Each structure stands twice: as C-alpha cells, then as structure tokens.
Amino acid sequence: MSTEIHRSVCPFDCPDCCGLLIEVDNGRVVRVSGDPEHPFTRGFLCAKMNHYQKTIHSPQRLTQPLLRCGSKGAGEFRPMSWNEALERISTNWREIIAAHGAETLLPYSYAGTMGIVQRNAGHAFFHRLGASLLERGICSPAKGCGWSAVMGNTPAPDPDEVEHSDLIILWSSNAAATNIHFLQRVKEAKKRGAKVWLIDVYPHQTAAHADQVFVVKPGSDAALALGLMHILVRDGLCDEKFIAGKVQGFSELKAKVLPEYPPATVSRMTGIGVAQLEQMAHKYAAARAAFISIGGGVSRYTNGAMSVRAIVALPALVGAWAQRGGGCTAGISSGAAFAMELIERPDLQQGSPRTINMSQLGMALTQEQSPPVKSLYVYSSNPAAVAPDQNQVLAGLAREDLFTVVHERFMTDTARFADIVLPATSSLETSDIYRSYGHYGVQRCHPLIAPPGEAKSNLEVFSLLAKSMGFSEEFFDFKADELIEQLIDRQNPWWAEVDFTALAAGRMVKLSPPKNQQFHTPSGRIELFNPTLAEVLPRHLPLNVSDFPLQLVTAPAMKTLNSTFFEREEIYGQMSVSLNPTEIEQRGLRDGQKVLVWNERGEVEFFLRAEDSLPTGLAVAAGVWWQKFAPGQSTVNALTAQKLTDLGGGSTFYDNRVDVKSAQ
Ligand code: SF4
C-alpha cells in the first residue's frame, strides 16, 4: 500500500492549533509535519509535535482496561475486559449513590484534547448523573475576567492585524515557547520597522526577539500599567477625542486612581527606573498603532484579573483602537460560534449539585466535605502532576475509600492511583472539530488510523457508561460526526463567511466575529469604569507578604506542554530550577548540584542551574514533570498553592514563594 497524506490538527492545549499533514502507511503514521497551506501556522510545528508519530505508536500506549491489584499509587494492575470494567464502575457508582448521593461523584477533566467534542464529551453524562460540578479554572480565567471588565464581549483583534502595528508589546508572554506562530507575525512586523517590547518577570527565550526588555517585579503589572497612564495624563499625551467618543470612566480613573501612581512610587513597586517609565510612556503615546499581547503568566497571581484589567485599559488612553493594528489582545474566544449547549446539555442536570474548583482538588479530597467526594473520574487531565498542592492531591488520591477511574493514553502519575484505568484514543483515531484560542481558525478532522488495542474515545466511553447506568437519552447514542454537525450553527453570523466545502475537506476555515458594533460592552464604550463590579475602577492589588525569599515561576517548557509528552524520553531533559548566581553563592550552593526547593507545602528536588540573566529574588522551574522522571519524590506543584485569583476562580501558579537549600 502506498503512503497517504491527510490533514489533521494539533490537539494540545496551545493557542496556535497547528494544521498537520499526517503520512499514513499501512495503518501506521510514519511522518507528521506542518501543513504549508494552513493560513495561520503555514507549515511549521514546534519541537513538541514534530515527531507526534512517536507518541501515537509509543509502546507505552495503554491498550486495554486495567484493574488495580496493588496498593494505591503502586501502579500494579491486571488486564480486564471492557465489560468487566463497565460493570465494576456502574456497580460501584450505584452503591455510592445509594449510600451517599450522586454529588459524591466528581468528574475531573481539562484540555488534554482541545477537540470540542472529545473535550466536552463527559458533561452531559455527569449532568445526567447529578455529580458534583467541576469549575474548570486551572488555566487563566482571570485573564478573561480582566478583559471583559473593560471590553465586555468585544472580540479580540485578528492576530494577523499585528502586521499593521508599529509597536508590539509582549506583556508576560513567552511567545517563543507558547505562541510561536504569533511570534512569527511579530518578527515579520519587526522586519517592516515595528519595535518590539517584552515586559515580564525575567528575560526568557522571547527576549531575543525584542528590541527592549522590561523586567518587572512579580505581580506588579497593574502598577506599571497605571503608572504609564499617570504619565500619559500628566504630560497631555492622551487621545482626548477618542476618549470623549469611545471611553467610559476616564475622568473617574484620572481623579480617583492615577494620582496614586506617580513614577517614583511605581518605580519602587515595579523595579523599573523612573527615567525608563517616562520613556516607555512617551514612546507608547508616540506609536501610531501600538498593540499589546497579554500572555498567561500575569493572570496567575492572586491579583491576576485586576492586573489584566489595568493593562487592557491602557490602549484606550492613547486611542490605539482607532488605528489598524492598534489595541490589545488577551486571547481569542470563539466559543459563541458553536451551539455548545447541544454537547454540554445543561438541560439534563439532575438536582443542584455543588461546584468544586479544579485548582482545589487537594482540599476536596482530603478535607471534610459535606458530602465527601467518594469517587473521581479523570479524563483528559493528569491532576497528580498538574493540580496545585501536589502533596495534598496525592494524599487524596491515596484514599482507600476513594473509587478512582482514569481514562488515559499513558500510565500517568494520576493513572497509577486509579482503581480502574481505561485506555484512551489519540487525536488521530477520532473525529473532532477544533477552534483555536490564538486565532479565528476552525478545522475538522477524521480518524486516520485504528486505535491501539481496545482504546476508546471519551465520547465512546461516556456512551457505554450511560448505557451501564441505564440512561436512555438519545444524546448518548450520537457519534462524534453527528455532534460536530449539531455544533456548527450555520445560521450564526460567526459562520457567515465560512467555506463549508473546505471545512469538510479538513482545511482550516476562518470564523468572523460579529461586526455590528466596535465595543461589545453594556455602554458600547471601553469601560474603564465598570459599575457592575465590586471594584469599579482598576488599581494595583498587592500580593500577600511571605517569609520565603524567592518568587517561584512555574514557567512553560519548550519541549513539553504541561504534563504532556513525558512518554517521549528523548525530549524532556533534566528537571531543573534556575537562579541568579548571586542567590546560588549566598546559599553556598553550586551550579549543577541537586537542591531542594521548599516552602510551607513541601520540598522538591531539582538540579540547580545558574542563569546570569535572571533577576535576583526569582526561582524559575520550567515544565510539569511526571514523578517517575523527577530526581526526587515530587514535582513542581508540591510547591504551589490552592488559593484562587481575585476574579474568575483561576489558579495562582506564579504566586508562590520558596527557598532553596542543598539536597545533600
Ligand atoms: S503545541 Fe502548539 S505550536 Fe506546537 S504543534 Fe501544537 S499547536 Fe502547534
């Protein structure tokens, strides 16, 4: 049989949503490359996906259901049939529901796949069951709250528009690791003469692409944005005409907030010198079309939503929105294009169960709850590695009275704690439709190879579980392609310009956000003053004080994505923490040695790396490792806290303090 080439999509939690070309020979994927005809990603992939076939055909793929036969967490299992697995799960759940109620069941899932069908396939089932609801806020809902506080439902600008910018500010964005195709647009704009700034807590890989790098103290971003606004107002650099016509609350901001942020104060808060602040504000005002791209890090502090809100307010003062290529983005949201209620099925909800925030799984499993969580069903996520406060999460997963089912492709840290493990398909073995959170593209894909062994998709498993539980709703018979057809709401204006033939052929097509008004807020204006919020104006919210001297930055890795790709031993290297050499010297440590990073929640062993470019006071740990590849017993989330952001119930992965000592 000759090799066939098919289009597909990168399924992972990344804004780029790359178009793939998959070469299949005799039922096996032999090569994965970027699709050169994909309008946004244009044929190149990141290092994570270049050899996706190694993940697909990894000998470590799970191929049949497994039943625990050792102690919890030992990873000892025996194979069993799907029938036995389904029978055991439904019998256990019936007993738990009879004794304690359905609310004691908890689903746990996130973006292990970004395909709209497979990612959301469990919602209808758990609604019908009456299980506890999961608040899926582990990524950056605070960013969305910060954006909507000022911009309401205004769609973010198309990232291609950045080519018209003359000043691009990457604010808390390591685009070289997390948004490489947007960075490509930035580089092209730079070649045409645009200036590029990076504002972040340390000069990471993206710094090499910036004309200027501004290193700020962690959590001080709102102070910086408000300090820049103070100078704009003081020096008469605002666009009065734009403000008069398009902005709500400028006079309140000017009178009540900005006087508290003079340059000397802001310099102390942010670590940026007064002269540099003055220069920044003047250059920002002088730009013809300044554009700010806000990354995820800034929103992962306890003040995350307010920080994003202050940054989003900045372009309004100089009228950047009036210019093509000017303005700001905090990410693309095109969920409104899809009939999500047809897959989420809130109408099937039984009772009014409580909601548990996924960043507080440790507390939910170990602290007194009414009623307690008696069963956990995990799919498309690996909470033993990715959820904060790992030691508490692991203590919860180790509970003998917790009945845990994990549906996975690999034996992850979470799967090792399961009572029953179910084998999952990969993205090349199922149908799905993908939307991006970095551009307005949508792409549909079909199964290209057979699943390994007895692996099944999320949708197939929930259909089987529904039947085992006696649910007879028609929804549980739908196939993925039928749900995709239902999700595409052809009457919705978002689809008005879509070429449906191209979509059916597996090509990326572009949604068009509604164009009926410029700013989709209640007032129709940019709302610096937002009367619907408890804090009606933006301000800087200081972080909590801690005795630990170093701010821990849980940075994105270049070759892994959250805890994904650790099945590929050749790509992940050594689990390390980086410090400025001064911090290393002060502690009598040496570059390359094993150290313990510790705080009130736990201690984690890392290899130490000296990084001259890092500011003092920072410890940077890239990647979310699996325990079995760590130098010690635990990984970075043993150091992170379950506290939430100021708005949105988001995680606070960047807002943790630690110290470092020798591991010997
Ligand atoms: S992880 Fe992101 S950049 Fe890499 S291939 Fe997937 S979508 Fe593209």
Side-chain angles (χ1 to χ4, degrees):
M1 190 190 281
S2 60
T3 303
E4 293 173 349
I5 302 179
H6 303 269
R7 290 204 155 79
S8 193
V9 186
C10 174
F12 295 112
D13 186 1
C14 168
D16 293 21
C17 203
C18 284
L20 309 179
L21 290 183
I22 310 291
E23 294 180 34
V24 180
D25 189 357
N26 231 353
R28 284 184 72 82
V29 178
V30 292
R31 187 162 180 262
V32 175
S33 54
D35 178 359
E37 292 176 31
H38 188 285
F40 187 73
T41 57
R42 299 176 184 164
F44 72 97
L45 306 177
C46 69
K48 303 165 192 114
M49 281 296 279
N50 265 325
H51 299 283
Y52 186 39
Q53 72 275 13
K54 291 188 182 175
T55 292
I56 298 294
H57 296 301
S58 165
Q60 297 177 53
R61 284 285 299 272
L62 298 171
T63 58
Q64 58 191 131
L66 302 171
L67 179 67
R68 176 168 71 94
C69 54
S71 59
K72 286 245 177 176
E76 292 164 16
F77 298 93
R78 72 153 172 87
M80 63 177 162
S81 69
W82 270 99
N83 280 345
E84 184 186 350
L86 293 165
E87 181 60 33
R88 281 179 182 271
I89 295 168
S90 54
T91 301
N92 264 291
W93 280 352
R94 280 201 188 88
E95 287 172 8
I96 290 170
I97 292 167
H100 308 283
E103 208 181 12
T104 59
L105 274 47
L106 177 68
Y108 197 97
S109 72
Y110 200 62
T113 171
M114 294 293 287
I116 300 175
V117 170
Q118 302 300 344
R119 182 179 181 183
N120 297 289
H123 295 2
F125 176 77
F126 287 109
H127 286 150
R128 175 66 181 80
L129 204 55
S132 284
L133 301 170
L134 184 72
E135 186 172 0
R136 291 174 168 83
I138 203 162
C139 189
S140 48
K143 193 154 81 152
C145 290
W147 172 267
S148 60
V150 181
M151 304 298 290
N153 294 323
T154 307
D158 189 312
D160 286 335
E161 290 294 295
V162 81
E163 72 170 277
H164 302 286
S165 307
D166 62 342
L167 173 62
I168 301 162
I169 303 175
L170 302 170
W171 199 315
S172 188
S173 169
N174 188 355
T178 61
N179 201 183
I180 56 172
H181 297 89
F182 179 69
L183 185 62
Q184 185 61 24
R185 304 297 193 277
V186 172
K187 288 194 251 179
E188 286 163 13
K190 197 176 167 193
K191 271 191 204 147
R192 282 192 290 270
K195 295 292 176 208
V196 179
W197 294 356
L198 172 68
I199 300 174
D200 215 328
V201 295
Y202 72 106
H204 41 63
Q205 296 90 344
T206 305
H209 304 283
D211 296 290
Q212 278 191 279
V213 178
F214 302 95
V215 174
V216 287
K217 290 183 186 172
S220 69
D221 304 83
L224 175 58
L226 294 163
L228 295 175
M229 289 187 231
H230 176 105
I231 298 167
L232 295 175
V233 170
R234 184 200 66 193
D235 295 353
L237 300 172
C238 295
D239 184 334
E240 303 290 348
K241 190 169 163 228
F242 181 84
I243 291 170
K246 304 281 186 183
V247 179
Q248 167 175 292
F250 174 70
S251 53
E252 288 90 338
L253 185 81
K254 184 175 164 182
K256 294 183 183 157
V257 179
L258 298 186
E260 291 174 36
Y261 298 92
T265 306
V266 170
S267 177
R268 276 194 302 277
M269 294 163 101
T270 62
I272 296 185
V274 169
Q276 216 172 12
L277 286 169
E278 302 276 359
Q279 225 182 58
M280 277 176 98
H282 280 257
K283 283 186 180 171
Y284 183 65
R288 179 185 44 77
F291 185 79
I292 303 173
S293 175
I294 305 174
V298 61
S299 68
R300 295 193 184 109
Y301 294 88
T302 44
N303 63 8
M306 191 62 102
S307 296
V308 173
R309 181 179 176 185
I311 298 167
V312 172
L314 190 50
L317 270 68
V318 295
W321 291 104
Q323 307 302 326
R324 190 162 186 197
C328 178
T329 183
I332 302 274
S333 175
S334 56
F338 296 87
M340 291 304 293
E341 70 283 1
L342 297 182
I343 189 161
E344 292 176 352
R345 297 300 299 265
D347 57 307
L348 295 181
Q349 180 66 62
Q350 303 294 299
S352 311
R354 66 181 161 194
T355 298
I356 291 174
N357 190 300
M358 69 190 307
S359 298
Q360 297 182 325
L361 180 66
M363 287 195 266
L365 295 183
T366 59
Q367 294 183 2
E368 200 174 317
Q369 305 279 329
S370 182
V373 176
K374 302 295 285 182
S375 180
L376 184 69
Y377 184 95
V378 181
Y379 59 109
S380 301
S381 186
N382 181 12
V386 302
D389 207 345
Q390 183 180 55
N391 289 331
Q392 203 173 44
V393 172
L394 295 181
L397 291 174
R399 270 175 43 199
E400 278 298 331
D401 68 329
L402 181 74
F403 176 60
T404 302
V405 181
V406 177
H407 184 203
E408 249 301 348
R409 296 170 307 150
F410 296 101
M411 187 54 72
T412 60
D413 290 351
T414 310
R416 292 173 68 81
F417 280 88
D419 294 282
I420 291 178
V421 180
L422 303 174
T425 47
S426 76
S427 64
L428 301 186
E429 295 144 18
T430 55
S431 289
D432 220 324
I433 185 164
Y434 292 81
R435 68 182 173 90
S436 158
Y437 59 96
H439 56 82
Y440 285 104
V442 173
Q443 200 173 347
R444 191 170 173 172
C445 60
H446 301 283
L448 302 179
I449 54 169
E454 300 171 22
K456 293 187 190 301
S457 70
N458 287 343
L459 188 67
E460 289 171 311
V461 176
F462 286 115
S463 171
L464 291 170
L465 286 171
K467 291 190 177 56
S468 290
M469 294 302 290
F471 301 162
S472 57
E473 286 80 0
E474 184 192 17
F475 176 86
F476 299 113
D477 292 323
F478 287 138
K479 302 284 179 266
D481 286 310
E482 292 170 311
L483 282 172
I484 291 168
E485 289 301 331
Q486 293 179 28
L487 281 165
I488 299 171
D489 181 2
R490 289 177 189 236
Q491 305 315 312
N492 186 322
W494 281 80
W495 294 89
E497 291 164 29
V498 163
D499 175 348
F500 287 98
T501 310
L503 180 68
R507 290 181 180 276
M508 189 209 101
V509 296
K510 211 162 168 179
L511 296 165
S512 11
K515 298 186 178 87
N516 49 341
Q517 62 186 101
Q518 189 179 9
F519 302 116
H520 297 238
T521 58
S523 64
R525 294 167 170 235
I526 297 173
E527 297 191 341
L528 303 182
F529 176 88
N530 186 329
T532 66
L533 295 172
E535 298 252 17
V536 291
L537 289 162
R539 67 185 176 99
H540 168 68
L541 303 175
L543 301 182
N544 286 338
V545 178
S546 161
D547 290 337
F548 287 90
L550 300 168
Q551 189 82 21
L552 175 67
V553 178
T554 53
M558 295 294 280
K559 294 187 174 176
T560 54
L561 204 169
N562 302 324
S563 75
T564 305
F565 293 111
F566 279 88
E567 72 282 355
R568 301 252 302 277
E569 292 184 21
E570 78 279 9
I571 66 173
Y572 50 75
Q574 226 176 31
M575 183 170 132
S576 59
V577 65
S578 300
L579 261 66
N580 179 287
T582 314
E583 300 284 4
I584 293 177
E585 202 178 310
Q586 275 173 6
R587 289 166 176 79
L589 303 170
R590 62 177 198 289
D591 188 20
Q593 78 166 95
K594 276 191 191 172
V595 291
L596 286 177
V597 181
W598 63 285
N599 64 14
E600 65 271 43
R601 279 172 291 282
E603 53 181 39
V604 182
E605 213 169 309
F606 288 91
F607 290 96
L608 182 61
R609 255 198 221 158
E611 288 279 354
D612 291 316
S613 63
L614 281 186
T616 55
L618 224 61
V620 178
V624 182
W625 293 61
W626 291 7
Q627 276 176 293
K628 68 174 173 180
F629 304 122
Q633 295 299 308
S634 47
T635 54
V636 69
N637 280 317
L639 302 164
T640 58
Q642 298 179 63
K643 63 194 173 186
L644 302 175
T645 50
D646 49 337
L647 285 177
S651 58
T652 54
F653 286 115
Y654 277 33
D655 199 347
N656 298 284
R657 308 279 303 179
V658 295
D659 203 349
V660 179
K661 61 187 177 189
S662 172
Q664 275 87 45

